[in-house]
Amino acid sequence: MDEILAGTMRDAVYGRLDYLDQLVADGDEPSRAALANTEISRLTTGWRDLLAAHHPDEHGRCPQCSGWRRPRRHPCSVWTTAHRHLIADDGPRGATSGRHAAATGQPTGAVPRVS
Ligand SMILES: [Zn+2]
């Protein structure tokens, strides 16, 4: 993919995310309800596609994040990010754990092993 196409794609995706954030922040109730009806399904489908691409192989390694010199064990950063945003951030504040919790102030929770 050339740099211009990559930049156009990146701008389009960030633009869409900005639009959705603005609609959530400033939209009226019917707009937000319509947003939930359409966008939640799109977002869950997108997460599932992304997680499928980073599903561990038969050796327990992420096929996308592993290089030929440095295999990356599961869970990779995509799975830990998914867990943080979809699971851990729903937990009670102040119940942080994990080695980076103190540095980031973000709850990291325990990442379950997926086989
Ligand atoms: Zn990965």
Side-chain angles (χ1 to χ4, degrees), residues 28-89:
D28 58 12
E29 196 64 37
S31 297
R32 289 198 309 249
L35 180 72
N37 281 338
T38 59
E39 295 301 325
I40 289 176
S41 177
R42 291 177 68 179
L43 291 173
T44 57
T45 299
W47 270 111
R48 288 180 194 282
D49 288 351
L50 184 60
L51 294 172
H54 290 263
H55 188 79
D57 64 14
E58 66 275 8
H59 303 292
R61 298 174 183 149
C62 175
Q64 298 297 319
C65 296
S66 295
W68 67 273
R69 292 180 59 190
R70 189 176 149 262
R72 179 67 172 97
R73 303 260 333 142
H74 183 78
C76 68
S77 62
V78 169
W79 274 92
T80 57
T81 299
H83 186 267
R84 185 177 69 238
H85 287 279
L86 297 172
I87 307 297
D89 280 355

Side-chain angles (χ1 to χ4, degrees), residues 9-19:
M9 179 188 294
R10 188 174 47 248
D11 290 346
V13 170
Y14 279 128
R16 182 67 177 181
L17 291 172
D18 290 345
Y19 167 75

